[in-house]
Amino acid sequence: MKERDIVGYLPDDKPTLGKSIVFALQQFLVMLPATVLAAIIMNGFGLELYSIPAAILASGIATITFLLVTNFKIPLYYGSSFSYIGAVAIVVTYGVDNLASSSTVLGSVLIASVLSGLMSIGAGLLIRYFGKDKIDKVLPGHITGMIAMIIGLVLSENVMNGILNTGPNGVDWLSVLVSMVTFLTIAIMTVILKKGFVSQIPILIGVIVGVIVSYLVWVPSLGSSWSFNNLSVYFDGIMNTQTVSMLDVMPWVTIPAAFQLPELIGVALIAIFPIAFATIPESAAHVNQIDLYVNNLSNQNDGKDYKIREMLDTNLIGDGIGDIVAVLSGGPAGTNYGENVSASAVTKNFSSYVFLITGILAIIVGLLLEVLNLGNLSLILTNPVVQGVSLYLFGAIAVQGIALMIEKKVDIFDSKVVAVMAFIGIVGLGVDSIPVTSSFVLPGIGVAALGGILLNIGLNVLDKKAKSKDQPKA
């Protein structure tokens, strides 16, 4: 394609293959920590459920499926969702208490996740046939904007804990150093690099610089004394990390195993099904964010209106199908990644072709990790580097929520709006999950989203009734 005055790529742009591979590598590195971390966390509740290579593979397959379903019009990446962690913990706990195998538990989670995906598809079809205007009344800007902010801020404590890496000897200042070098490199690159190819890969540059500094400073400190000999120990740990076999998490193994303990399927359904409620406003937020940034770039080039904001139905259908494809591929259920939205916004690269290459790259990496038995290569990105990138990206997601509310001209002096935003903000950030019973948990972000929607509807009804009473009778 011809070079433009404004650096960037729109959804239907197709960079050269070489550039696309580099752009895809950046998006891959952005999604990798969260996709792998979600699986690792869900493996930490007493049973090894997920294969890390399968989680990476599934994210790639689901992303390509999503792009096909949306006809390459919505440039998003699909990765493992943190929203499912609390619910999976409930299922695992019940399974451990009843001596269930990993395959039995994972099969139950898979079945429940498929039904959750079907719910997302159903929501998309309702919007398609009853109109987006109806959903705009249910999901106005002050709800989708706040949800976007919550998505960015909800893990802020985890990020800061990861950066500080506090242990028996106090704060790990070398971890802080590496994290801040990574963060500042990304921040500085986005400010000083305005044109050319290099201006579109600030996150990749930040990761590379962070990894180099990490191996020079942080990894040598991991032993009893600071020494470069600790590098070999660290890499031996990467190579020797035991992982769950990819074949062991496939549906032909896990679904039959699930029916060995049918009541566990019921527990999984109760725990996981409500999470679909949280994905609707999250999807709406991502669609509006992508529309805002894509059309801003298009306008700078005197281009067309891509009208992505009108594709919430398609996005939800693609999200639901992505969930189903991901779990049937052996990975966790997921969502469109806000981290990749941030990466696209920062680099001004919204090419769907790049996300296709990213999906293919994820499949290749997942298969290589399994076939070559190379251990957990995701650990090459050390924890301080991951936290430094997260500091930038999660903050950028929150800022995008603010930008969305500005673009939607949210009236923050409207008492109804203030009440709804207050509820979503405090509930969404104040609680990770609410245990209703021993087998039923409500994720905090789901309670915030669903409660905010219901509160908004209720306050609007009361407001209309109050205004009707104030009107003089004819």
Side-chain angles (χ1 to χ4, degrees), residues 83 138-154 277-286 289 394 397-398 400-402 404-405 420-421 423-425 427-429 444-453:
S83 298
V138 179
L139 295 172
H142 59 282
I143 289 181
T144 55
M146 284 298 295
I147 291 297
M149 286 184 61
I150 297 303
I151 293 170
L153 296 176
V154 72
F277 289 113
T279 64
I280 296 174
E282 184 179 352
S283 291
H286 288 163
Q289 287 169 359
F394 288 156
I397 295 170
Q400 288 167 17
I402 298 173
L404 177 60
M405 288 187 281
V420 172
M421 292 175 66
F423 179 87
I424 294 175
V427 175
L429 290 176
I445 192 171
V447 174
L450 182 58
I453 292 170

Side-chain angles (χ1 to χ4, degrees), residues 29-54:
L29 291 175
V30 167
M31 76 81 190
L32 183 63
T35 292
V36 171
L37 182 60
I40 290 174
I41 292 173
M42 286 186 276
N43 281 348
F45 298 125
L47 289 174
E48 288 285 326
L49 290 185
Y50 291 106
S51 156
I52 301 303

Side-chain angles (χ1 to χ4, degrees), residues 222-265:
L222 296 181
S224 57
S225 61
W226 197 97
S227 171
F228 282 113
N229 292 330
N230 294 325
L231 287 170
S232 61
V233 176
Y234 185 80
F235 283 111
D236 286 342
I238 293 176
M239 300 301 292
N240 296 326
T241 299
Q242 295 297 317
T243 57
V244 180
S245 169
M246 184 181 291
L247 293 178
D248 289 339
V249 298
M250 290 300 158
W252 55 82
V253 174
T254 59
I255 292 178
F259 287 95
Q260 295 174 5
L261 189 63
E263 59 268 31
L264 185 59
I265 298 175

Side-chain angles (χ1 to χ4, degrees), residues 127-166:
I127 294 171
R128 176 168 296 178
Y129 290 110
F130 290 96
K132 186 176 179 295
D133 291 340
K134 300 286 186 181
I135 206 68
D136 280 341
K137 294 180 180 179
V138 179
L139 295 172
H142 59 282
I143 289 181
T144 55
M146 284 298 295
I147 291 297
M149 286 184 61
I150 297 303
I151 293 170
L153 296 176
V154 72
L155 294 177
S156 57
E157 182 179 0
N158 291 346
V159 171
M160 287 309 301
N161 287 338
I163 290 174
L164 297 175
N165 196 27
T166 305

Side-chain angles (χ1 to χ4, degrees), residues 422-439:
F423 179 87
I424 294 175
I426 298 302
V427 175
L429 290 176
V431 62
D432 293 327
S433 61
I434 301 173
V436 179
T437 69
S438 60
S439 60

Side-chain angles (χ1 to χ4, degrees), residues 58-71 78-79 84 110 113-125 128 276 279 283 312-336:
S59 75
I61 296 174
T63 295
I64 295 173
T65 302
F66 177 86
L67 292 170
L68 291 171
V69 170
T70 60
N71 199 24
Y78 182 99
Y84 290 86
L110 185 157
S113 299
V114 167
L115 291 180
S116 179
L118 291 173
M119 182 177 176
S120 294
I121 295 172
L125 292 174
R128 176 168 296 178
T279 64
S283 291
L312 176 57
D313 58 336
T314 303
N315 187 69
L316 284 170
I317 293 170
D319 235 357
I321 294 175
D323 278 343
I324 295 171
V325 169
V327 297
L328 290 177
S329 300
T335 185
N336 302 137

Side-chain angles (χ1 to χ4, degrees), residues 294-438:
V294 165
N295 283 313
N296 179 61
L297 179 61
S298 181
N299 289 337
Q300 293 179 54
N301 289 280
D302 298 321
K304 65 181 181 180
D305 183 349
Y306 280 80
K307 298 181 179 180
I308 297 175
R309 60 191 175 278
E310 299 177 2
M311 298 183 66
L312 176 57
D313 58 336
T314 303
N315 187 69
L316 284 170
I317 293 170
D319 235 357
I321 294 175
D323 278 343
I324 295 171
V325 169
V327 297
L328 290 177
S329 300
T335 185
N336 302 137
Y337 262 12
E339 295 94 321
N340 292 95
V341 174
S342 294
S344 294
V346 169
T347 62
K348 296 183 180 180
N349 191 330
F350 300 94
S351 170
S352 293
Y353 177 71
V354 168
F355 281 101
L356 173 64
I357 301 298
T358 308
I360 294 172
L361 178 61
I363 293 172
I364 293 173
V365 171
L367 290 174
L368 284 177
L369 287 175
E370 179 69 18
V371 172
L372 300 179
N373 193 25
L374 297 176
N376 190 358
L377 293 186
S378 63
L379 295 177
I380 289 176
L381 300 184
T382 63
N383 181 67
V385 173
V386 171
Q387 302 306 331
V389 174
S390 298
L391 175 62
Y392 187 90
L393 290 178
F394 288 156
I397 295 170
V399 172
Q400 288 167 17
I402 298 173
L404 177 60
M405 288 187 281
I406 293 173
E407 191 269 339
K408 292 292 183 180
K409 298 180 180 178
V410 172
D411 182 5
I412 60 172
F413 297 102
D414 186 326
S415 56
K416 303 190 303 296
V417 171
V418 172
V420 172
M421 292 175 66
F423 179 87
I424 294 175
I426 298 302
V427 175
L429 290 176
V431 62
D432 293 327
S433 61
I434 301 173
V436 179
T437 69
S438 60

